[in-house]
Amino acid sequence: MSARARAQCVWHAWWQRQQFLLPPGYGGHEHRWVSIQFGVVGCALCGTVHACQRGGNNVVPCLRVFNEDSSSVCEYTAMVLEQSMLLDHTLDVEGYNKNRERLYADGGARHSVRESSYGENVAQVIKQVDATVHAMLYSDTAARCRAAEILRFKRKVDNALQHYTSKHRGHPLQLDVTRAFEYAVCTVRAVRAPRPCINPPPEQSFMVFKRVMVTLLQTLNIVECSRTRVNAERVSVFVVGMLYVAVQGVTAHGVVILHARPELQEILPLQSMLYEFFGLHAKLITENENMLKRYVNACTEREFEVLVNNLQHAQTPDAGYTTAGSAHSPASCQ
């Protein structure tokens, strides 16, 4: 069965399980979209299905939202439809010019770079995945970020209390305090309330997640280990994005690609604080999630089977990393 046929089976199964209030495809209402799988949503009222990969064949076309960098996103599925920025968030014109001058110095001759073997590159990917997970969850920077989040939450509560008391002076004290706290609770209810003491699970519990990351990076050619050098920055950004995506998990064509880890919801730093403490833009999370979706959607039936087999091996408790040469290198999905 092809990937497209599997996807249609998932949509059909969702459609059969629902009980719709309105006739199928009824147009005289505002659609209430619910997620079916990544890149696919359905209306809980009339059963209309919207899949970005179907393009103009959708009954309800993509509602494009344009970002500051001129990329466009579908409002229904949050999938990036057109992208105009590079994945490397650290790249700018000045940095590019400096690198260009360095690479083509000495009369225009490019500096030679020693080529790394496939095994060395895979080992570097594994090392970078380990380092990124440790930095985001167990490092001193992560601890400082959690402490800053607690202080930030306290300031929001204090500001809400001060705003209310200054606005309602002269009221009876007991009634004023009660309503002030009610106002403060309503003000911060949309903000994550940090726990005073968070103890992340043992780092060993993320071994399967790390193996899945290495498998995805290799199998989907997000980084090409057969090239001269591995882009460590790209590996780190992808792993950070997948940590946030893992809160809800990823399912494609009825197969679990990334198991859900809901406990990460309160352990990971707030996305709004990523740049301050880790130098990463929160937008990269969505970009990497959509990059994974595009890679999986582009797989043929055979390539998707290879990906599923590799992921099943990576999720085996006693599985190890594959660092040997091309005889053990996973097939590409490109």
Side-chain angles (χ1 to χ4, degrees):
M1 183 184 297
S2 65
R4 184 178 296 274
R6 276 195 300 268
Q8 291 177 346
C9 287
V10 173
W11 308 343
H12 184 72
W14 172 84
W15 210 87
Q16 292 293 330
R17 291 194 303 268
Q18 306 303 313
Q19 293 183 351
F20 302 111
L21 179 65
L22 302 175
Y26 182 76
H29 72 291
E30 182 177 352
H31 293 291
R32 186 184 301 168
W33 299 112
V34 296
S35 176
I36 300 177
Q37 62 179 49
F38 65 78
V40 182
V41 294
C43 177
L45 297 178
C46 69
T48 299
V49 174
H50 170 87
C52 292
Q53 66 192 61
R54 295 168 62 182
N57 294 326
N58 283 300
V59 176
V60 179
C62 293
L63 179 59
R64 292 175 178 263
V65 177
F66 292 92
N67 298 318
E68 294 180 358
D69 62 350
S70 74
S71 61
S72 61
V73 180
C74 176
E75 184 173 317
Y76 306 136
T77 64
M79 280 199 67
V80 176
L81 305 175
E82 293 179 354
Q83 187 167 334
S84 58
M85 68 177 293
L86 296 173
L87 179 66
D88 187 354
H89 69 290
T90 63
L91 188 65
D92 55 17
V93 175
E94 182 181 359
Y96 170 79
N97 290 333
K98 288 182 179 179
N99 290 334
R100 184 174 180 273
E101 293 174 3
R102 178 175 57 83
L103 290 173
Y104 292 94
D106 303 327
R110 188 163 187 167
H111 294 292
S112 61
V113 180
R114 185 184 71 86
E115 293 189 2
S116 302
S117 67
Y118 180 88
E120 289 174 333
N121 285 338
V122 174
Q124 184 182 352
V125 170
I126 295 171
K127 182 179 179 180
Q128 194 65 35
V129 170
D130 289 338
T132 303
V133 173
H134 178 82
M136 294 299 298
L137 301 178
Y138 303 97
S139 66
D140 293 339
T141 303
R144 290 198 304 270
C145 186
R146 295 189 192 104
E149 182 185 352
I150 294 175
L151 292 176
R152 180 181 177 181
F153 185 80
K154 288 181 177 178
R155 283 197 299 268
K156 287 183 178 293
V157 174
D158 292 341
N159 291 337
L161 291 172
Q162 292 176 5
H163 179 267
Y164 183 89
T165 53
S166 63
K167 192 176 180 180
H168 298 82
R169 292 185 180 183
H171 289 203
L173 180 61
Q174 183 177 3
L175 181 63
D176 194 54
V177 171
T178 303
R179 290 183 175 176
F181 275 102
E182 290 178 351
Y183 175 80
V185 170
C186 292
T187 302
V188 300
R189 63 183 176 182
V191 181
R192 183 176 75 176
R195 291 169 52 186
C197 182
I198 296 180
N199 294 317
E203 196 164 356
Q204 185 69 21
S205 65
F206 286 93
M207 286 302 299
V208 171
F209 174 84
K210 294 176 183 178
R211 288 198 297 266
V212 169
M213 290 299 99
V214 175
T215 300
L216 289 174
L217 286 163
Q218 289 181 266
T219 308
L220 300 178
N221 269 353
I222 296 174
V223 294
E224 299 185 28
C225 295
S226 58
R227 292 292 182 89
T228 304
R229 293 284 183 182
V230 169
N231 189 333
E233 179 76 19
R234 191 172 190 182
V235 173
S236 295
V237 171
F238 179 78
V239 174
V240 171
M242 291 302 102
L243 279 170
Y244 284 89
V245 172
V247 173
Q248 296 183 340
V250 176
T251 302
H253 311 315
V255 178
V256 176
I257 303 297
L258 186 62
H259 284 277
R261 298 288 300 262
E263 69 273 15
L264 289 172
Q265 179 71 44
E266 60 182 17
I267 300 174
L268 286 168
L270 284 177
Q271 295 184 24
S272 59
M273 304 178 74
L274 278 176
Y275 186 77
E276 178 182 355
F277 287 89
F278 298 94
L280 295 170
H281 294 283
K283 184 179 179 182
L284 293 171
I285 297 172
T286 303
E287 290 180 355
N288 280 276
E289 179 183 7
N290 283 289
M291 180 174 64
L292 175 62
K293 295 173 182 178
R294 288 195 301 269
Y295 276 117
V296 173
N297 281 332
C299 288
T300 64
E301 180 180 358
R302 172 57 184 160
E303 290 167 345
F304 188 76
E305 290 177 358
V306 171
L307 173 62
V308 171
N309 291 336
N310 289 340
L311 288 174
Q312 289 176 346
H313 173 72
Q315 293 166 9
T316 304
D318 58 347
Y321 292 113
T322 300
T323 58
S326 59
H328 296 281
S329 62
S332 167
C333 281
Q334 287 186 330

